[in-house]
Structure formats: C-alpha cells, structure tokens
Amino acid sequence: MPVFTATLGSVSFLSQLFNHSDASSSSSLLNQSKLSKLCCKQSLTKRGSSFSSSIYTLKVSAPSASSTSATTDDSKQAEVSATALLDNSVPSDDDDKQERRSADWKAARAYWHSGFIYGGRVEGFNGGGLLIRFYSVVGFLPFPQLSPSHSCKEPSKTIQEIAKSLVGTIIPVKVIQAEEESRKLIFSEKEAVWSKFSAKIKVGDIFEGRVGYVEDYGAFVHLRFPDGQCYLTGLVHISEVSWDLVQDVRDILTEGDDVEVKIIKIDRGKSRITLSIKQLEEDPLLETLDKVISQDDSAGSDSLSTSETSTIEPLPGLDAIFKELLQEDGIDDVRISRQGFEKRVVSQDLQLWLSNAPPSDNMFTLLARAGRQVQEIQLKTSLDQDGIKKALQRVLERVP
C-alpha cells in the first residue's frame, strides 16, 4: 500500500488555517503566530477507481527563524493544500469514520491546549446552548459562554431567539474542554473575544456599560466599546456599588440598566475584570472639616468652636468608639479638637470620616458627623493613613 506524506512548509499567519468548502465543516482561525509547521499524512489505498483516506494529523511546534520569514504566497499555498487534503478526506467505511473522529478529537485537544481560536459553525441549539461543528464532531457552547455582544445588540430578544438567529453562522470560539472518552467538547465564544479585546483595556479606564444580570454578591456589567458593541463583561461587587451600605444589589441595579463603571482590577490569567461604580465619586471618608463647614464671615460664631474655649460633648456613640480606638496598637490618644454645624443634614446616623491629609507629627484627623453637627477628632498615632482606616474598620465591627 503506497503511503504519501505531504509537508506543507512553514506557516505563520493569523487568518484561516482550514477553509472547508464542505457545508458541514467550519473554518479555523488562529489568533497567534505560533503555528510553524502543519504536517498532513494520508494513507491512500486504491479501491477500484477510488481512493479512501484514513487519517491526518496536526502538529504544532514553536516558531523557528525560517517560519517567521515565510512569505504570504507560501502561507496561501499551504492553506490551499491543507484544504484540499482535508476536503478529500471522506470516510469510506466505519473504520475510516472512527479514525477520522479520533483524529478530530486529537485536533480538538490541540486547540484546547494551545488556546488557538477556531471558527465554529452553529449547527443548532437546545435549551442550554449552541451546537458547534468541529469537523466530524459536534460540540456544545453553553449560553453563559456567548459573547455579550449578541444580547447588547438586540436587548429585546430572548436567548432562544438569539440562538435561532445564529444557526448557520460561523463564530469565533475557543475549546475549553475536550475529553473524547466522555464525549465532552465544550466551546466558549466569550474566551475567544477576550483574547482580542482584553488588550484594549487597562486599570483606571472608564466605560459606559449595560447591566447583564444581577446576583446576590454583585452585578455583571457588559462594557460598551467605541463601536457601540459590548465585548467584555466585568463584575461590580456589592461593596463597589455605592459608598453607602448596600443590603441588596437589586435595590440599586436592574438588568438592562445603563451605568458608568471604572475598571479597578484585571486578572488576565483568569479572564476577569473587576469594576466599580462608587469609585467614580470621591471617597466621602477623605474629607476635612474645613471642606464640609463654610467658614466665611456670615457663618456666625456658632458655626465653629474649639476645645480651648468650650467643652465639647461627644456625639452619641463616640465614647464607645474612642475606648475601642485606644485598644488598637499604634493609637495613643483620641480627643475632640473642634466642632461645627452644617447648613444641611447629611445623615441622622453617626458617621466617621477620615481626613485626606496624611498624619503630621503623629497626629491624624477624623470627622464625626450626625445630623447637622460635625466634630473634628485628633488621633495621636504611629499608623499611616491606610493603617488608621483598617483600625477604624475593626473598631466599627466591634461597636454595636
């Protein structure tokens, strides 16, 4: 039996690796230039006047100096040759079908481990996701792994209507699980889109977004890019929704809401984005007494008083906080230095704010507010601003 071996040169390109003309097969896309050699080996046996192919293999290796210098013509020729070899690989019996499927599972595992992007044809859908063609194998793409661009583009459509509109189209996907024994071939469009668009964001960026769905622990927001499409999704944790205490995220955010968010963390290894709504505003803990109290001539003598001229009675609840603060390491003394009255009521409840000025000569300033009354508190401490904030948080957890 004659054996023909075709080595399709050095290939380094970002477009289609395979481009089947067969309607049941989909094109494969590479988003990296790491593929240097494609070796297609076929055993051809003459049966009457026809030939049947038995197997092909895909080999991925690190790029060499010669591969990076391959010309565009060489890449196109390799692509055409690979297409011809694969399109002619039509199984003729059960053994050939099994060998073809086994080879396709090996190819799926290669895509899984390499992280390459594949252009998968949507064959259909069910109640949980899309059916994606991968050569002779059909895999599954769960609805949560769809790119947010579909729902943002047509927010009035249900997920089933979106799935129906995608049947017959080719979408970029990544293989995130490929286990031939259990027949599990799972795809993610979200991961494929992350590979393309995550490089375009950084911590500190501010985006307009759309609330996709809300959980007890926070809200997932789809980020809208300059072209108007949503490609990436991030989490606004419940602690990042507002500076005020939030008991239930659903009291503030609802699916479909348009919001503005700030990127505060990117975990590129896990493809996660952490967002914040509250950090678009100044932290109310970072204040000074001079900022919250007007001190012009019209304020009157009652607007500000000092401990040197009068005895200041602590606001209700401050005594207990003072006692707990003195139990913290690094805090030596706590006393009220002055007080004032605001023109409006910020909150009837007692609030403690940190000064935005760093400690000076081991002295740091806190503000206590309740109703219209504001009191300035001086701490004698060896802690820095962050240490004081953590100490204050511990104290407030202990005080009822």
Side-chain angles (χ1 to χ4, degrees):
M1 178 177 64
V3 177
F4 299 88
T5 300
T7 301
L8 305 179
S10 296
V11 184
S12 178
F13 55 95
L14 301 178
S15 60
Q16 294 182 352
L17 173 60
F18 302 129
N19 188 13
H20 295 265
S21 57
D22 181 12
S24 65
S25 300
S26 304
S27 63
S28 296
L29 304 179
L30 293 180
N31 71 330
Q32 305 176 32
S33 58
K34 294 182 178 179
L35 194 66
S36 62
K37 290 187 176 181
L38 174 68
C39 298
C40 296
K41 299 181 179 180
Q42 299 213 347
S43 299
L44 304 178
T45 306
K46 188 172 183 180
R47 297 179 180 177
S49 59
S50 63
F51 288 84
S52 65
S53 65
S54 60
I55 190 170
Y56 68 87
T57 60
L58 178 71
K59 182 182 293 184
V60 178
S61 61
S64 63
S66 61
S67 68
T68 57
S69 62
T71 64
T72 303
D73 291 339
D74 290 336
S75 299
K76 290 182 178 179
Q77 183 178 359
E79 182 180 352
V80 172
S81 300
T83 300
L85 285 171
L86 293 178
D87 283 348
N88 290 330
S89 300
V90 180
S92 60
D93 52 34
D94 291 341
D95 290 340
D96 286 343
K97 289 180 180 179
Q98 183 58 39
E99 287 182 349
R100 172 66 185 267
R101 288 179 65 85
S102 179
D104 289 345
W105 276 105
K106 289 180 181 179
R109 288 193 294 272
Y111 272 91
W112 181 20
H113 296 306
S114 67
F116 290 159
I117 294 176
Y118 176 81
R121 178 185 174 87
V122 181
E123 295 290 314
F125 65 96
N126 56 28
L130 305 180
L131 305 178
I132 306 294
R133 168 71 61 180
F134 185 88
Y135 302 120
S136 64
V137 183
V138 175
F140 183 65
L141 190 151
F143 284 140
Q145 292 298 328
L146 272 175
S147 165
S149 60
H150 306 296
S151 59
C152 288
K153 186 185 300 182
E154 298 177 294
S156 61
K157 283 190 174 183
T158 66
I159 190 65
Q160 296 291 328
E161 289 172 333
I162 291 174
K164 185 177 181 180
S165 67
L166 290 175
V167 173
T169 65
I170 294 176
I171 61 175
V173 296
K174 273 191 175 184
V175 178
I176 58 175
Q177 187 177 2
E179 298 176 359
E180 183 177 4
E181 297 78 10
S182 57
R183 292 295 188 267
K184 287 186 178 180
L185 180 57
I186 310 299
F187 297 98
S188 171
E189 184 189 20
K190 187 180 293 184
E191 287 294 322
V193 172
W194 170 271
S195 298
K196 179 177 180 180
F197 289 94
S198 62
K200 300 181 180 181
I201 63 173
K202 62 182 183 300
V203 172
D205 285 349
I206 297 174
F207 276 84
E208 295 293 331
R210 180 178 181 273
V211 177
Y213 49 101
V214 181
E215 303 288 350
D216 292 340
Y217 52 85
F220 288 88
V221 176
H222 305 318
L223 304 182
R224 186 171 288 110
F225 280 72
D227 63 359
Q229 299 299 316
C230 300
Y231 298 108
L232 303 178
T233 302
L235 171 65
V236 180
H237 190 265
I238 186 172
S239 63
E240 292 294 331
V241 173
S242 172
W243 290 112
D244 296 326
L245 179 63
V246 177
Q247 299 288 356
D248 189 342
V249 183
R250 296 172 182 85
D251 292 337
I252 300 176
L253 298 175
T254 305
E255 182 178 341
D257 286 351
D258 290 324
V259 295
E260 190 176 45
V261 293
K262 181 179 182 180
I263 298 177
I264 60 174
K265 183 179 179 182
I266 302 174
D267 188 334
R268 300 189 185 277
K270 296 182 179 180
S271 305
R272 292 178 181 174
I273 305 172
T274 305
L275 306 171
S276 176
I277 295 175
K278 75 179 188 181
Q279 292 193 30
L280 292 170
E281 301 175 354
E282 184 180 4
D283 186 344
L285 289 176
L286 302 178
E287 292 285 344
T288 65
L289 189 66
D290 294 337
K291 181 175 180 179
V292 298
I293 298 178
S294 175
Q295 298 189 52
D296 54 21
D297 293 338
S298 63
S301 59
D302 292 337
S303 65
L304 193 65
S305 62
T306 67
S307 58
E308 297 177 354
T309 60
S310 61
T311 301
I312 301 175
E313 183 178 351
L315 292 168
L318 272 185
D319 280 334
I321 292 174
F322 286 175
K323 291 177 182 178
E324 291 296 328
L325 279 172
L326 290 173
Q327 301 300 315
E328 291 287 325
D329 293 335
I331 297 180
D332 302 319
D333 189 32
V334 183
R335 65 180 61 190
I336 301 173
S337 59
R338 58 179 179 164
Q339 71 174 350
F341 296 87
E342 298 188 75
K343 295 180 179 179
R344 63 184 180 90
V345 175
V346 176
S347 173
Q348 294 292 354
D349 299 326
L350 177 64
Q351 296 181 342
L352 280 179
W353 293 12
L354 294 179
S355 169
N356 58 8
S360 177
D361 296 329
N362 291 333
M363 299 300 294
F364 192 85
T365 302
L366 290 178
L367 293 180
R369 306 171 77 169
R372 293 181 57 244
Q373 196 170 359
V374 184
Q375 293 180 347
E376 186 179 68
I377 303 165
Q378 293 293 325
L379 298 183
K380 186 176 181 181
T381 177
S382 59
L383 302 176
D384 58 14
Q385 189 179 58
D386 188 56
I388 295 169
K389 188 171 184 177
K390 291 179 179 177
L392 184 58
Q393 290 171 340
R394 289 193 296 268
V395 167
L396 294 179
E397 290 174 356
R398 298 198 298 266
V399 175

